[in-house]
Structures are given as C-alpha cells and as structure tokens.
Amino acid sequence: MKKLSSFLLLLLVVFTTQAQIQEPVKFKTELKTLSGAEAEIVFTGTIEAGWHVYSTDLGDGGPISATFNVDKISGAEVVGKLTPRGKEVSSFDKLFEMKVRYFEKTAQFVQKIKFTGNDYSIEGYMEYGACNDENCLPPTQVPFKLSGKAAVTAATSVKETPAASVEEPVASVSDSIIEPAATAVTPAVGSIDLWKPVINDLKKFGEANSQEDMSWIYIFITGFLGGLLALFTPCVWPIIPMTVSFFLKRSKDKKKGIRDAWTYGASIVVIYVALGLAITLIFGASALNALSTNAVFNILFCLMLIVFAASFFGAFELTLPAKWSTAVDSKAEATSGLLSIFLMAFTLSLVSFSCTGPIIGFLLVQVSTTGSVVAPAIGMLGFAIALALPFTLFALFPSWLKSMPKSGGWMNVIKVTLGFLELAFALKFLSVADLAYGWRILDRETFLALWIVIFALLGFYLLGKIKFPHDDDDTKVSVPRFFMALISLAFAIYMIPGLWGAPLKAVSAFAPPMKTQDFNLYTNEVHAKFDDYDLGMEYARQHNKPVMLDFTGYGCVNCRKMELAVWTDPKVSSIINNDYVLITLYVDNKTPLTEPVKITENGTERTLRTVGDKWSYLQRVKFGANAQPFYVLIDNEGKPLNKSYAYDEDISKYIDFLQTGLENYRKEK
C-alpha cells in the first residue's frame, strides 16, 4: 500500500511539474507516393476542444500561418506551396480585426514534391500557430526527416508508404543543448546560469495559477437581469395579475391554485431553457461562435436592433401572427391539467415576443462567443427565472397584488429606454462589419461620438425634454427617472475624453480598437527597456534591480488588452517603469539567429532558427509554460520572486503581484 501511495504521489508531482505546458495539438507526418515521380508529405493533426490551428497564407498582422520549410533536400524538389485540406472555418476575428481561416478538431496540410533521382533525402519542418479564446501558442514546429528510393519514371506507380509518425515534442526540465552557440543561448552574466529551470521554485509560491471560470455565473446573472427588464415591459407586466387571479379562482382549493402557479412558473423556465439548448444543438457551439463574428450576420443583427428600437420608440408595433397565439390559447382551453398550464406559459412566450425578442437575441449572441454548448441554456435559465418569479410569488402571497403598481406610462418609459440601448448596441455590431470590410466609417471617435449623443438624448428623454408618440403628457419627473437620467448623462460626459484618445476602460469591450483613432493625445504607455533576455539581465545586475519578464507575441491579442487595460494604470506603470527592469520577449519574432542552435527536448532533437524560437525555448525550459501573455518576476540570478501571472485584467491583483515580487526581492538583500 505504501508503494502504491508513493507511486501516486510521484505521479502527481510529475503531473504538476508539466501542468503549465500546453500541448493541445499533435501532428503526425507521412509520405504518400503518387503516380510517376511525385509524392506528398502529409501532416495530420488532432486538435483539443476549444483550440484551433490556423491555415496558410493569412497575411500580415494576423495569427501565425502554416508554412512548409526545408533545411536539406537531395534527389527531390518542392512543387508548389503547402496546401490545407479538410473543413476550414472562415470568419472575421474581432481580436485580430481581420478575416481568418482555421481548423477545429482535425487539421491536414499537404506539400507536393517531385523526385529527381532514385535516392532522395528531405529534412525540414512545418510551422503552425494555434490559439484558443484566452491565449496562443508560440510558433510551433513539426520536424520531419524522410529518405529512401523512388522511381523516376512517370509510368511507374508506387504504393503509398507511410513514414514514421513524428509527434511534436514538449519541453521538460531535463532538456539539453547539443550544439550551444555563444551568441544565441549562453548567458552573459559571469558563471550564473540564467537559463536554469525554476519550475520547482515557482511551485513554492503556489504556481497552480489557474483562473476560476466565472463565465457561467456571469452568463446567469446577465440572463437574470435581461429577464427583469422584460418583466417591466407592457408585454409582460399587465399579464401578471390576470394570470395569477386565474389560477387562484379556477380551483376552490387554494393549495391547488398555488401549485398551478408554481407549475406555470416552472413551465416558463422549461420553455426558455429548451430554446437555449435547441439553438446550440441545431447550430452547434462552434458554429454560433463563428456566426457571432461573421460580418454579414453582424450587419443583419444591427439592422434588426434598429428596427426593434424604432418599434419601441413608437414608429410601429411588432407582433407575431395572431393566429399563432390564438391557436395555442384555444388548445390550452381545450385541455386540462398540467398540459393546459404549459400551453398557457407557451402563449405568454409568444405574446411577449415583441418585448422579449431583442433581449433574448442579444443575450444569445453574447453567450455564443464562449463556444460552450450549455452557455445559451444557462443564460436562458437566468432569463426565465426572472420572468417566472413574480407569477409564483404573487400566487403565494395574493395580498401583494393590491400593492402591485398599475400599468401605465412608466412602462413605456422602460420600453423607450430599451430602444435607446438597442440603438447603442446596434453600433457595436456594425463596428464588427466595418472592421471586416475596411469601410472606416465607424472609427473609434465616430463610434464614441454616436454613443455620446445616444446616451445624452436618453438622459434628456428621461428628464421629459423629448417626447415619443406613446408618452403621457405628464410634465412631472419621478425620482427613479431623475436618477436614471443622471446616470445616462454622466456616462455621456465620461466618454467625451475618449474623442482625444482616453482609454475609457468601461467601454473598451464595445468601442473599436485604439488604432482606428485618428487623433490621439494619450501617451501613458509602458515600453520595455530590453527585448533581449541576457542583456536585460546584465543591466538589472549592474543597477541592482529586479526583472519583470514579459513573454508576448506580435499576434497576441490578450497581450495588447493587458497592456491597454492594466499597464496604463498610473500605479502599475509607475511600479514597472521605476522599480523593475522590463524585458519583453516576442516568441514569434522571425529575426534569424546568428546561427541555428540544436537542442534536445524529451529526447527529440529540435533546431532553434529564430529569435522567437529562442525566447519560446526559454519560457518552456526555464518556467515550464508556453502560452502568452506570461509575466514572471525574477531576481538578478534568474530566480523567481512570485508565482507567474497570465491573462487577468484585475488591476488590484496585478499590483499585488508586482508588490509581492518587490517585497521578496528586498528580503533577499
């Protein structure tokens, strides 16, 4: 038993050591001979759920494209370019702000070659990029080495001969450099080994640095708030007292009436949750995610929100065909028991569509970006609970009905307010399409100007300065309306500095990127002093300062978000600029090394060819991680001062991360 326990403990230690190394993609390589003197090198990859591998020829400024690279070749020549095969997903990526193509679950790339002699030898690698919703891997290589005999005669047909599979290696602590080059890898600080692994040292600080996924809670709360909004609309609120009274009067037994009201509320929940599940089961979570970033879809959804906004303003009335609700209602009257109650709940869903439709639509679009099958169902669960709650509560406490606010003009105020919000969100969806097609009609300052006007007009409406067709002539402004107007006008004023480049963190998720801003006075940005690890460490040693390593990438969107949302904070920027030596290392830097460096990882030989390869290897071998962004604090000898930090825009956590590192550094001195 002790032996078993020891073995399990050892297994746990090994697992935690490799916990941060991500290997979501595995490729195998084979050679398939064709008729005549031609053959294909086929790279077939399996991709973990949530990850995707990018295709070829994506262009500059985007993710890493798949490429075919040859180091040595004899007896053969390359024909054409690397070709993707299989089902490609093509969509506009809001993060990269361009249209991208990628593979999910499986990926296949093919490179055609032509034999020029009987003996051939080919050595090289395929390079690819992979990302999920939170981070990206550095440029990853799939090495291959093929040799053999081939018939040159075109009439000769050769059977397919698969080569040995080549699995992509994963870094480990025991990795070694076979042919070190002084200019590429050797540390510059005396005899101190700055490349020594510190994975165990990081664990002492509690390196199990997995963020808690609060997305489901957030989705539920968002759905619940949406249900509360729908509750106070003219489509739903007047129905509550009528429905509850019906349940209480239809039966002489009060307990049965209450039970029916509970059943009614549960039926509403079942209907909306089933709708959320049906949407993802029909279309699929990945399809919804791709749809949410599709330019055409965003244009259509923008137009839909504008139409609903016009309807809420009183231009016209949107309703479903009357025969639908009539048919369901008559069916409910013809039946009895639980089925009749369920059909009554279904009737409510149809009748209230004109008010609930835009809220549900916006909710589903937002949660679809999570890529989760259950996310829309969770959102709809929150929405339905908020919608069903009053029916149940008023049935339990019938006396509350007397104190229930009567239907009136206040509901139209809520409806018009929703119209303004829908108009604002319509611009958000139009912005996605604008970036996709490069129209440049909705740059950041244009977007902010429109939002400022919309929320200012909303504030004036709530103060009674603007009237719509369905509004009452009452000149009095209630206290709730006054505070809503105050919030709206304050928000409009808050956005005004953004016209000159202020970050506006509250709207960063909605507004176009900062680079679309034509006029920008904001200069509070943090820039690294060094982009070379060894030189930066030497400088830190001479000036007796700790180091902050920033493993990043040119195509890392979350890295840019951290730099804009967190590094621009005055306290954060002050600590980084004054107390640390910031070294930024780009893992996708394509600058060639002075000479290639061969290394061994997990018993497999690899070659470092670029500066990015070098920094990626450093991240893997020293810190046991390979995703970006990745921040780690170290002293002059390369020892960690705190656990690492990944993507998390919580400024207080980041400040605590930096200050803890400083405190530990001072303790060493």
Side-chain angles (χ1 to χ4, degrees):
M1 188 66 183
K2 288 184 178 180
K3 290 183 178 180
L4 179 61
S5 301
S6 301
F7 174 76
L8 293 174
L9 182 62
L10 179 62
L11 191 65
L12 180 63
V13 171
V14 173
F15 176 77
T16 53
T17 302
Q18 299 293 330
Q20 286 201 27
I21 288 290
Q22 300 184 38
E23 193 185 8
V25 184
K26 293 183 178 180
F27 270 96
K28 67 176 183 179
T29 309
E30 60 181 346
L31 180 71
K32 293 184 177 181
T33 57
L34 306 176
S35 59
E38 293 186 336
E40 290 178 342
I41 302 175
V42 182
F43 303 91
T44 306
T46 56
I47 310 168
E48 290 184 2
W51 287 82
H52 48 262
V53 172
Y54 292 102
S55 189
T56 59
D57 301 320
L58 298 180
D60 298 331
I64 300 164
S65 303
T67 57
F68 182 81
N69 305 271
V70 175
D71 293 328
K72 299 177 183 178
I73 186 169
S74 62
E77 61 183 21
V78 177
V79 180
K81 295 182 177 181
L82 185 69
T83 305
R85 287 183 182 174
K87 185 180 179 182
E88 276 188 342
V89 179
S90 180
S91 67
F92 178 78
D93 194 311
K94 291 184 289 187
L95 299 178
F96 287 109
E97 299 169 12
M98 63 181 292
K99 195 170 185 179
V100 299
R101 293 174 289 106
Y102 55 87
F103 293 92
E104 297 176 331
K105 297 181 180 180
T106 60
Q108 191 173 80
F109 300 95
V110 177
Q111 177 62 61
K112 185 175 287 187
I113 62 171
K114 184 178 180 181
F115 299 121
T116 57
N118 290 328
D119 297 319
Y120 68 89
S121 177
I122 310 171
E123 184 177 350
Y125 63 96
M126 184 193 74
E127 188 174 74
Y128 69 91
C131 292
N132 62 9
D133 292 335
E134 293 186 357
N135 50 51
C136 296
L137 298 182
T140 308
Q141 298 175 1
V142 183
F144 66 89
K145 193 172 185 180
L146 304 171
S147 61
K149 295 183 179 290
V152 183
T153 307
T156 306
S157 178
V158 186
K159 295 183 179 180
E160 295 182 357
T161 54
S165 296
V166 183
E167 296 282 343
E168 185 188 341
V170 179
S172 71
V173 178
S174 61
D175 296 338
S176 61
I177 299 175
I178 298 178
E179 299 178 13
T183 58
V185 179
T186 302
V189 187
S191 60
I192 300 175
D193 185 6
L194 298 176
W195 290 66
K196 181 181 178 181
V198 293
I199 300 173
N200 291 329
D201 295 314
L202 284 171
K203 288 168 58 181
K204 295 177 181 178
F205 291 102
E207 182 56 19
N209 195 27
S210 59
Q211 301 178 23
E212 293 185 16
D213 188 8
M214 301 295 291
S215 59
W216 284 9
I217 298 175
Y218 173 79
I219 290 169
F220 178 83
I221 294 173
T222 303
F224 188 84
L225 294 176
L228 289 180
L229 278 175
L231 189 64
F232 293 102
T233 58
C235 310
V236 180
W237 189 259
I239 301 176
I240 297 175
M242 294 187 298
T243 307
V244 173
S245 299
F246 172 78
F247 285 129
L248 294 176
K249 292 177 181 178
R250 73 180 291 189
S251 177
K252 296 180 180 180
D253 187 358
K254 185 179 177 181
K255 291 184 178 180
K256 188 176 184 301
I258 294 174
R259 188 170 62 249
D260 289 346
W262 273 99
T263 307
Y264 185 78
S267 298
I268 294 174
V269 174
V270 170
I271 289 169
Y272 282 103
V273 171
L275 176 62
L277 286 174
I279 289 172
T280 48
L281 290 175
I282 293 171
F283 297 102
S286 60
L288 280 174
N289 189 18
L291 191 64
S292 67
T293 57
N294 181 273
V296 176
F297 171 79
N298 277 274
I299 293 174
L300 294 175
F301 201 78
C302 168
L303 295 174
M304 187 192 78
L305 287 179
I306 292 173
V307 170
F308 273 111
S311 174
F312 282 8
F313 291 153
F316 46 82
E317 198 68 34
L318 284 176
T319 57
L320 289 175
K323 62 181 182 180
W324 291 11
S325 56
T326 303
V328 177
D329 196 35
S330 60
K331 189 70 175 177
E333 292 180 359
T335 57
S336 59
L338 296 179
L339 180 59
S340 67
I341 298 173
F342 180 83
L343 291 173
M344 286 182 63
F346 196 71
T347 303
L348 170 69
S349 305
L350 292 176
V351 172
S352 62
F353 174 78
S354 61
C355 294
T356 62
I359 302 173
I360 293 172
F362 183 77
L363 174 66
L364 291 175
V365 169
Q366 291 304 303
V367 302
S368 66
T369 58
T370 62
S372 171
V373 175
V374 297
I378 293 173
M380 297 298 275
L381 176 64
F383 181 90
I385 288 176
L387 204 62
L389 201 58
F391 294 95
T392 307
L393 290 177
F394 284 126
L396 290 172
F397 308 99
S399 59
W400 290 5
L401 287 172
K402 297 179 181 180
S403 58
M404 180 179 172
K406 304 297 181 182
S407 302
W410 63 273
M411 288 190 302
N412 191 67
V413 173
I414 293 177
K415 196 172 180 181
V416 172
T417 302
L418 284 175
F420 276 105
L421 295 177
E422 287 171 4
L423 201 59
F425 284 121
L427 293 174
K428 183 258 186 185
F429 293 102
L430 179 60
S431 173
V432 176
D434 180 62
L435 292 169
Y437 291 108
W439 296 329
R440 295 300 301 269
I441 61 174
L442 207 61
D443 290 347
R444 187 173 183 268
E445 62 265 41
T446 308
F447 180 95
L448 290 176
L450 290 170
W451 265 40
I452 291 169
V453 173
I454 289 173
F455 284 96
L457 290 175
L458 173 59
F460 291 135
Y461 168 78
L462 292 171
L463 291 174
K465 304 300 181 182
I466 301 173
K467 297 287 186 180
F468 286 97
H470 295 156
D471 288 320
D472 296 334
D473 293 329
D474 190 3
T475 57
K476 295 181 181 179
V477 177
S478 65
V479 174
R481 283 185 65 172
F482 172 78
F483 280 107
M484 289 171 64
L486 184 65
I487 294 171
S488 185
L489 290 171
F491 185 59
I493 295 173
Y494 162 80
M495 290 187 288
I496 291 176
L499 298 174
W500 292 274
L504 302 181
K505 298 174 185 178
V507 298
S508 60
F510 303 100
M514 187 72 76
K515 71 177 185 180
T516 64
Q517 185 108 8
D518 295 325
F519 186 62
N520 190 353
L521 298 178
Y522 191 77
T523 58
N524 187 24
E525 297 177 355
V526 177
H527 299 284
K529 293 182 179 179
F530 296 92
D531 59 2
D532 183 277
Y533 175 63
D534 299 310
L535 294 178
M537 291 297 292
E538 175 65 17
Y539 178 90
R541 184 187 65 83
Q542 293 175 358
H543 291 77
N544 194 28
K545 297 179 74 174
V547 173
M548 174 176 163
L549 289 181
D550 166 32
F551 288 95
T552 183
Y554 292 113
C556 175
V557 175
N558 281 341
C559 302
R560 304 293 88 77
K561 291 171 69 176
M562 287 290 293
E563 293 160 10
L564 181 63
V566 180
W567 284 13
T568 54
D569 179 81
K571 192 169 184 178
V572 173
S573 61
S574 176
I575 297 175
I576 296 176
N577 289 327
N578 300 325
D579 299 324
Y580 284 95
V581 176
L582 177 60
I583 305 175
T584 294
L585 305 175
Y586 285 89
V587 297
D588 53 0
N589 189 336
K590 294 298 184 181
T591 304
L593 293 172
T594 307
E595 60 180 280
V597 180
K598 290 187 177 181
I599 61 168
T600 298
E601 291 185 320
N602 282 354
T604 303
E605 184 178 310
R606 298 187 64 184
T607 303
L608 307 180
R609 298 175 177 86
T610 66
V611 174
D613 292 343
K614 175 183 172 182
W615 303 142
S616 180
Y617 175 74
L618 171 66
Q619 185 185 2
R620 297 194 307 270
V621 72
K622 186 174 179 68
F623 304 107
N626 64 343
Q628 294 77 46
F630 184 81
Y631 309 104
V632 62
L633 309 175
I634 58 176
D635 61 13
N636 309 142
E637 298 181 356
K639 298 178 181 178
L641 300 171
N642 196 1
K643 63 182 179 181
S644 65
Y645 197 98
Y647 175 68
D648 189 341
E649 295 185 24
D650 190 319
I651 294 176
S652 61
K653 287 184 181 179
Y654 204 81
I655 292 174
D656 182 67
F657 162 71
L658 295 173
Q659 289 179 335
T660 302
L662 286 175
E663 292 172 2
N664 291 331
Y665 181 74
R666 291 166 184 150
K667 289 178 183 178
E668 290 183 355
K669 303 300 174 184

